[in-house]
Amino acid sequence: MIKPELWHAYADTVFDLSHEILFPQYAIITAWNPFSDRMSYKQNCANNEKLKKDLRSRLYWPVIAGDRKFEWYEESFAVEIPLPDAIHLGKKYRQNAIFYVSAGELYLYSCVDEYSCHIGIAAERFIKSFNENHGGIMKDITPVICDKYASDVQLLDLPLHNFGYRSVFFGQVVTVSCFKDSAKIIEQLSQDGKGKVLFVDGNGSCDAALFDDQTAAIAMKNGWEGVVIYGALRDVGALADRDIGIKALAACPKNSANHDSGHVNLTLRIANQSIQPGDYLYSDWNGIVLSTKPLDF
């Protein structure tokens, strides 16, 4: 049985369509994140390629399904297909549920039991701004934020580089201060990180890595949006496939210690700039901006 909170999230999904869908009946289905276990973008794309092979004899269009701000999204397909066949595909690709549109009405069907429900008029869930305005996933959020909130944000001037697959990430800041010791980092990333970004002050040291692929796996498992490290990391090749935001000064193959030294959720002071726990961080290829409140962009 699907957890009630998960079913509620599914029922609130909206869709961005690349084309108007004219099929009288169709399913919206994906192979992303089987049973809601978060996978890397690379793994999800590979799963969807397998699904596309099963759809090659049918008419379909790409769709982005997500929450109303697309902080969560899944690349999906609108497929002209009978409902039983759609549910069969959902089960094959280990999905908890699929969406089905019939006569303009939108339904949610479980793939793990017999439950289903009507969730509204399909057209009311279709939006266009996601792709038309951004050409897909919005890649440049910080210029938009700086233009819209120039007097309300702080530009973080640090020579950080992107290392994760996800170049755009944002969330509420949790801070760790440590020196060549990753224990506090692992401790924090082992907690629920939904909607949060961990900011680590490693004193700018690049003599030992404070973050690696195993640590990234812990962060992803617990839903962290991203990690920013004023210091070094390692496993650069593996991190490039991790669907999480990662910024750091540099790479270093040497691991750090694990002596449980350091501090959590203190104000960080780096290069005459302050990073406060509880602030909101927004990051992309252009840089990082901080705000004392969440921003609508």
Side-chain angles (χ1 to χ4, degrees):
M1 182 177 178
I2 301 172
K3 294 180 179 179
E5 61 270 22
L6 195 57
W7 185 265
H8 178 76
Y10 292 158
D12 198 42
T13 299
V14 296
F15 307 93
D16 184 39
L17 310 180
S18 60
H19 296 79
E20 183 181 3
I21 307 299
L22 300 177
F23 310 140
Q25 293 181 322
Y26 59 93
I28 298 176
I29 188 171
T30 185
W32 273 40
N33 301 322
F35 294 143
S36 292
D37 288 334
R38 192 171 182 178
M39 311 290 283
S40 72
Y41 184 78
K42 183 177 181 181
Q43 290 170 309
N44 281 325
C45 287
N47 289 341
N48 261 4
E49 286 301 312
K50 293 177 183 177
L51 173 58
K52 284 170 68 175
K53 290 181 180 179
D54 281 335
L55 301 179
R56 57 178 175 253
S57 64
R58 303 182 185 276
L59 296 175
Y60 66 88
W61 293 108
V63 176
I64 301 292
D67 62 28
R68 294 178 183 271
K69 290 187 177 181
F70 285 97
E71 296 174 347
W72 161 82
Y73 70 93
E74 292 184 342
E75 295 178 8
S76 308
F77 304 100
V79 189
E80 188 177 35
I81 185 174
L83 177 59
D85 293 350
I87 294 175
H88 173 75
L89 280 178
K91 291 179 178 179
K92 178 177 179 178
Y93 289 95
R94 302 168 63 211
Q95 297 298 301
N96 284 323
I98 64 159
F99 299 93
Y100 202 79
V101 177
S102 179
E105 300 295 322
L106 181 63
Y107 300 86
L108 180 61
Y109 285 87
S110 171
C111 295
V112 298
D113 54 34
E114 301 299 317
Y115 190 67
S116 65
C117 68
H118 173 254
I119 56 176
I121 300 171
E124 294 179 352
R125 300 297 187 95
F126 297 156
I127 65 170
K128 296 182 179 180
S129 60
F130 189 68
N131 275 321
E132 288 187 355
N133 291 343
H134 310 314
I137 305 304
M138 191 175 183
K139 296 179 174 65
D140 296 297
I141 63 171
T142 58
V144 173
I145 289 171
C146 287
D147 289 348
K148 188 174 181 179
Y149 300 100
S151 61
D152 298 322
V153 297
Q154 170 193 344
L155 177 63
L156 195 61
D157 185 14
L158 295 174
L160 297 165
H161 304 280
N162 282 342
F163 289 93
Y165 187 91
R166 190 188 302 181
S167 60
V168 176
F169 61 97
F170 48 90
Q172 192 167 27
V173 173
V174 176
T175 66
V176 168
S177 176
C178 57
F179 182 66
K180 298 183 182 181
D181 188 336
S182 60
K184 294 294 184 185
I185 298 171
I186 296 171
E187 175 187 288
Q188 290 304 301
L189 293 178
S190 297
Q191 301 177 29
D192 180 24
K194 183 174 176 58
K196 298 177 183 177
V197 174
L198 186 68
F199 200 112
V200 179
D201 180 5
N203 289 282
S205 172
C206 294
D207 295 333
L210 292 171
F211 191 84
D212 59 17
D213 187 49
Q214 289 185 345
T215 318
I218 295 170
M220 290 180 62
K221 178 181 178 181
N222 291 295
W224 288 82
E225 306 298 332
V227 180
V228 179
I229 304 163
Y230 188 59
L233 46 65
R234 65 178 188 170
D235 299 335
V236 172
L239 292 178
D241 289 332
R242 289 292 188 182
D243 187 19
I244 184 173
I246 305 170
K247 267 186 158 72
L249 288 177
C252 175
K254 181 182 177 183
N255 200 9
S256 58
N258 196 343
H259 299 316
D260 201 28
S261 63
H263 303 280
V264 174
N265 272 341
L266 297 180
T267 298
L268 305 180
R269 187 72 177 167
I270 303 174
N272 295 318
Q273 300 167 93
S274 295
I275 299 96
Q276 301 275 3
D279 279 357
Y280 291 84
L281 180 147
Y282 300 84
S283 177
D284 60 16
W285 283 106
N286 301 282
I288 293 176
V289 295
L290 296 167
S291 170
T292 58
K293 59 185 179 182
L295 303 176
D296 181 8
F297 55 90

